[in-house]
mmCIF file of all heavy atoms in Angstrom:
data_model
loop_
_atom_site.group_PDB
_atom_site.id
_atom_site.type_symbol
_atom_site.label_atom_id
_atom_site.label_comp_id
_atom_site.label_asym_id
_atom_site.label_seq_id
_atom_site.Cartn_x
_atom_site.Cartn_y
_atom_site.Cartn_z
ATOM 1 N N GLN A 135 104.108 97.115 90.043
ATOM 2 C CA GLN A 135 103.313 96.282 90.943
ATOM 3 C C GLN A 135 104.091 95.898 92.201
ATOM 4 O O GLN A 135 103.496 95.491 93.200
ATOM 5 C CB GLN A 135 102.849 95.016 90.220
ATOM 6 C CG GLN A 135 101.841 95.281 89.108
ATOM 7 C CD GLN A 135 101.500 94.026 88.342
ATOM 8 O OE1 GLN A 135 102.343 93.459 87.643
ATOM 9 N NE2 GLN A 135 100.253 93.574 88.459
ATOM 10 N N LEU A 136 105.400 96.022 92.143
ATOM 11 C CA LEU A 136 106.261 95.694 93.284
ATOM 12 C C LEU A 136 106.663 96.936 94.075
ATOM 13 O O LEU A 136 107.559 96.884 94.917
ATOM 14 C CB LEU A 136 107.522 94.978 92.796
ATOM 15 C CG LEU A 136 107.294 93.632 92.104
ATOM 16 C CD1 LEU A 136 108.582 93.125 91.480
ATOM 17 C CD2 LEU A 136 106.737 92.605 93.078
ATOM 18 N N ALA A 137 105.965 98.049 93.824
ATOM 19 C CA ALA A 137 106.359 99.324 94.424
ATOM 20 C C ALA A 137 106.347 99.285 95.950
ATOM 21 O O ALA A 137 107.147 99.967 96.597
ATOM 22 C CB ALA A 137 105.441 100.445 93.924
ATOM 23 N N LYS A 138 105.453 98.501 96.544
ATOM 24 C CA LYS A 138 105.353 98.449 98.003
ATOM 25 C C LYS A 138 106.261 97.389 98.625
ATOM 26 O O LYS A 138 106.266 97.206 99.846
ATOM 27 C CB LYS A 138 103.896 98.212 98.421
ATOM 28 C CG LYS A 138 102.982 99.390 98.101
ATOM 29 C CD LYS A 138 101.593 99.188 98.664
ATOM 30 C CE LYS A 138 100.712 100.395 98.376
ATOM 31 N NZ LYS A 138 101.167 101.611 99.095
ATOM 32 N N VAL A 139 107.013 96.683 97.800
ATOM 33 C CA VAL A 139 107.963 95.687 98.299
ATOM 34 C C VAL A 139 109.329 96.341 98.417
ATOM 35 O O VAL A 139 109.835 96.892 97.426
ATOM 36 C CB VAL A 139 108.055 94.471 97.343
ATOM 37 C CG1 VAL A 139 108.994 93.414 97.925
ATOM 38 C CG2 VAL A 139 106.672 93.897 97.079
ATOM 39 N N PRO A 140 109.956 96.326 99.601
ATOM 40 C CA PRO A 140 111.294 96.911 99.718
ATOM 41 C C PRO A 140 112.245 96.327 98.672
ATOM 42 O O PRO A 140 112.202 95.126 98.394
ATOM 43 C CB PRO A 140 111.715 96.530 101.142
ATOM 44 C CG PRO A 140 110.416 96.373 101.881
ATOM 45 C CD PRO A 140 109.462 95.794 100.884
ATOM 46 N N GLN A 141 113.103 97.160 98.110
ATOM 47 C CA GLN A 141 113.978 96.717 97.030
ATOM 48 C C GLN A 141 114.876 95.556 97.448
ATOM 49 O O GLN A 141 115.189 94.684 96.633
ATOM 50 C CB GLN A 141 114.819 97.892 96.523
ATOM 51 C CG GLN A 141 114.064 98.813 95.592
ATOM 52 C CD GLN A 141 113.509 98.068 94.375
ATOM 53 O OE1 GLN A 141 114.246 97.466 93.605
ATOM 54 N NE2 GLN A 141 112.187 98.084 94.230
ATOM 55 N N ALA A 142 115.280 95.520 98.701
ATOM 56 C CA ALA A 142 116.104 94.396 99.170
ATOM 57 C C ALA A 142 115.341 93.085 99.049
ATOM 58 O O ALA A 142 115.918 92.041 98.706
ATOM 59 C CB ALA A 142 116.536 94.637 100.612
ATOM 60 N N LEU A 143 114.025 93.130 99.311
ATOM 61 C CA LEU A 143 113.218 91.911 99.203
ATOM 62 C C LEU A 143 112.946 91.556 97.748
ATOM 63 O O LEU A 143 112.854 90.373 97.398
ATOM 64 C CB LEU A 143 111.910 92.088 99.971
ATOM 65 C CG LEU A 143 112.031 92.335 101.482
ATOM 66 C CD1 LEU A 143 110.646 92.358 102.130
ATOM 67 C CD2 LEU A 143 112.900 91.279 102.145
ATOM 68 N N VAL A 144 112.801 92.562 96.897
ATOM 69 C CA VAL A 144 112.636 92.290 95.468
ATOM 70 C C VAL A 144 113.860 91.538 94.956
ATOM 71 O O VAL A 144 113.742 90.528 94.245
ATOM 72 C CB VAL A 144 112.430 93.596 94.677
ATOM 73 C CG1 VAL A 144 112.446 93.307 93.171
ATOM 74 C CG2 VAL A 144 111.123 94.260 95.077
ATOM 75 N N ARG A 145 115.038 92.013 95.327
ATOM 76 C CA ARG A 145 116.268 91.347 94.875
ATOM 77 C C ARG A 145 116.396 89.936 95.441
ATOM 78 O O ARG A 145 116.909 89.030 94.775
ATOM 79 C CB ARG A 145 117.486 92.188 95.262
ATOM 80 C CG ARG A 145 117.590 93.515 94.512
ATOM 81 C CD ARG A 145 118.952 94.172 94.747
ATOM 82 N NE ARG A 145 119.112 94.575 96.137
ATOM 83 C CZ ARG A 145 118.759 95.775 96.605
ATOM 84 N NH1 ARG A 145 118.209 96.679 95.787
ATOM 85 N NH2 ARG A 145 118.951 96.092 97.876
ATOM 86 N N ARG A 146 115.897 89.748 96.665
ATOM 87 C CA ARG A 146 116.054 88.456 97.331
ATOM 88 C C ARG A 146 115.062 87.417 96.849
ATOM 89 O O ARG A 146 115.387 86.228 96.765
ATOM 90 C CB ARG A 146 115.888 88.668 98.845
ATOM 91 C CG ARG A 146 116.342 87.502 99.713
ATOM 92 C CD ARG A 146 116.279 87.898 101.187
ATOM 93 N NE ARG A 146 117.072 89.104 101.434
ATOM 94 C CZ ARG A 146 116.884 89.934 102.460
ATOM 95 N NH1 ARG A 146 115.900 89.699 103.332
ATOM 96 N NH2 ARG A 146 117.640 90.991 102.616
ATOM 97 N N TYR A 147 113.842 87.843 96.506
ATOM 98 C CA TYR A 147 112.767 86.871 96.255
ATOM 99 C C TYR A 147 112.200 86.882 94.839
ATOM 100 O O TYR A 147 111.285 86.109 94.550
ATOM 101 C CB TYR A 147 111.637 87.102 97.262
ATOM 102 C CG TYR A 147 112.086 86.863 98.688
ATOM 103 C CD1 TYR A 147 112.216 87.922 99.592
ATOM 104 C CD2 TYR A 147 112.415 85.579 99.120
ATOM 105 C CE1 TYR A 147 112.645 87.707 100.891
ATOM 106 C CE2 TYR A 147 112.845 85.360 100.427
ATOM 107 C CZ TYR A 147 112.970 86.426 101.309
ATOM 108 O OH TYR A 147 113.399 86.203 102.585
ATOM 109 N N PHE A 148 112.747 87.716 93.976
ATOM 110 C CA PHE A 148 112.272 87.756 92.590
ATOM 111 C C PHE A 148 113.457 87.671 91.634
ATOM 112 O O PHE A 148 114.554 88.161 91.935
ATOM 113 C CB PHE A 148 111.489 89.050 92.318
ATOM 114 C CG PHE A 148 110.188 89.145 93.059
ATOM 115 C CD1 PHE A 148 110.154 89.615 94.366
ATOM 116 C CD2 PHE A 148 108.993 88.756 92.456
ATOM 117 C CE1 PHE A 148 108.959 89.693 95.069
ATOM 118 C CE2 PHE A 148 107.795 88.837 93.146
ATOM 119 C CZ PHE A 148 107.772 89.304 94.446
ATOM 120 N N CYS A 149 113.209 87.051 90.502
ATOM 121 C CA CYS A 149 114.205 86.970 89.440
ATOM 122 C C CYS A 149 113.762 87.879 88.301
ATOM 123 O O CYS A 149 112.580 87.898 87.952
ATOM 124 C CB CYS A 149 114.328 85.532 88.923
ATOM 125 S SG CYS A 149 114.706 84.322 90.200
ATOM 126 N N GLU A 150 114.682 88.617 87.741
ATOM 127 C CA GLU A 150 114.334 89.495 86.625
ATOM 128 C C GLU A 150 114.021 88.679 85.383
ATOM 129 O O GLU A 150 114.728 87.747 85.030
ATOM 130 C CB GLU A 150 115.476 90.478 86.337
ATOM 131 C CG GLU A 150 115.593 91.571 87.375
ATOM 132 C CD GLU A 150 116.463 92.714 86.892
ATOM 133 O OE1 GLU A 150 116.367 93.071 85.702
ATOM 134 O OE2 GLU A 150 117.242 93.225 87.707
ATOM 135 N N GLU A 151 112.910 89.019 84.763
ATOM 136 C CA GLU A 151 112.495 88.372 83.523
ATOM 137 C C GLU A 151 112.544 89.411 82.411
ATOM 138 O O GLU A 151 112.843 90.574 82.638
ATOM 139 C CB GLU A 151 111.061 87.828 83.677
ATOM 140 C CG GLU A 151 110.846 86.924 84.890
ATOM 141 C CD GLU A 151 111.312 85.511 84.662
ATOM 142 O OE1 GLU A 151 111.557 85.156 83.497
ATOM 143 O OE2 GLU A 151 111.427 84.759 85.659
ATOM 144 N N LYS A 152 112.223 88.999 81.206
ATOM 145 C CA LYS A 152 112.202 89.946 80.100
ATOM 146 C C LYS A 152 110.956 90.828 80.177
ATOM 147 O O LYS A 152 110.019 90.543 80.928
ATOM 148 C CB LYS A 152 112.252 89.205 78.764
ATOM 149 C CG LYS A 152 111.081 88.275 78.518
ATOM 150 C CD LYS A 152 111.248 87.559 77.179
ATOM 151 C CE LYS A 152 110.061 86.624 76.925
ATOM 152 N NZ LYS A 152 110.181 85.922 75.627
ATOM 153 N N ASN A 153 110.941 91.887 79.400
ATOM 154 C CA ASN A 153 109.811 92.819 79.311
ATOM 155 C C ASN A 153 109.480 93.471 80.652
ATOM 156 O O ASN A 153 108.313 93.678 80.990
ATOM 157 C CB ASN A 153 108.567 92.122 78.755
ATOM 158 C CG ASN A 153 108.783 91.558 77.369
ATOM 159 O OD1 ASN A 153 109.491 92.155 76.560
ATOM 160 N ND2 ASN A 153 108.190 90.402 77.101
ATOM 161 N N ASP A 154 110.506 93.786 81.435
ATOM 162 C CA ASP A 154 110.325 94.491 82.706
ATOM 163 C C ASP A 154 109.494 93.696 83.714
ATOM 164 O O ASP A 154 108.846 94.258 84.594
ATOM 165 C CB ASP A 154 109.682 95.867 82.473
ATOM 166 C CG ASP A 154 109.747 96.762 83.711
ATOM 167 O OD1 ASP A 154 110.762 96.717 84.424
ATOM 168 O OD2 ASP A 154 108.752 97.473 83.985
ATOM 169 N N LEU A 155 109.487 92.388 83.609
ATOM 170 C CA LEU A 155 108.757 91.548 84.557
ATOM 171 C C LEU A 155 109.722 90.921 85.565
ATOM 172 O O LEU A 155 110.881 90.656 85.259
ATOM 173 C CB LEU A 155 108.001 90.443 83.811
ATOM 174 C CG LEU A 155 106.845 90.895 82.928
ATOM 175 C CD1 LEU A 155 106.264 89.701 82.174
ATOM 176 C CD2 LEU A 155 105.759 91.574 83.757
ATOM 177 N N HIS A 156 109.181 90.687 86.759
ATOM 178 C CA HIS A 156 109.936 90.026 87.812
ATOM 179 C C HIS A 156 109.166 88.780 88.227
ATOM 180 O O HIS A 156 107.969 88.853 88.535
ATOM 181 C CB HIS A 156 110.121 90.959 89.010
ATOM 182 C CG HIS A 156 110.912 92.192 88.699
ATOM 183 N ND1 HIS A 156 112.250 92.329 89.004
ATOM 184 C CD2 HIS A 156 110.555 93.340 88.069
ATOM 185 C CE1 HIS A 156 112.677 93.516 88.594
ATOM 186 N NE2 HIS A 156 111.659 94.144 88.027
ATOM 187 N N GLY A 157 109.843 87.644 88.254
ATOM 188 C CA GLY A 157 109.199 86.386 88.594
ATOM 189 C C GLY A 157 109.541 85.932 90.001
ATOM 190 O O GLY A 157 110.685 86.081 90.457
ATOM 191 N N VAL A 158 108.560 85.377 90.693
ATOM 192 C CA VAL A 158 108.774 84.836 92.031
ATOM 193 C C VAL A 158 109.790 83.696 91.962
ATOM 194 O O VAL A 158 109.740 82.850 91.061
ATOM 195 C CB VAL A 158 107.440 84.324 92.618
ATOM 196 C CG1 VAL A 158 107.666 83.658 93.971
ATOM 197 C CG2 VAL A 158 106.443 85.462 92.736
#
């Protein structure tokens, strides 16, 4: 679901959760 978000922004604005989920 985050495929269109640049990876740098994923790292900056999301925290890794369990079960392959990323939380805002």
Side-chain angles (χ1 to χ4, degrees):
Q135 292 175 293
L136 297 171
K138 292 186 178 294
V139 183
Q141 281 303 301
L143 298 185
V144 173
R145 292 191 294 270
R146 194 173 304 157
Y147 297 110
F148 293 85
C149 304
E150 287 195 39
E151 307 279 346
K152 61 181 180 179
N153 300 324
D154 192 37
L155 292 176
H156 297 260
V158 176

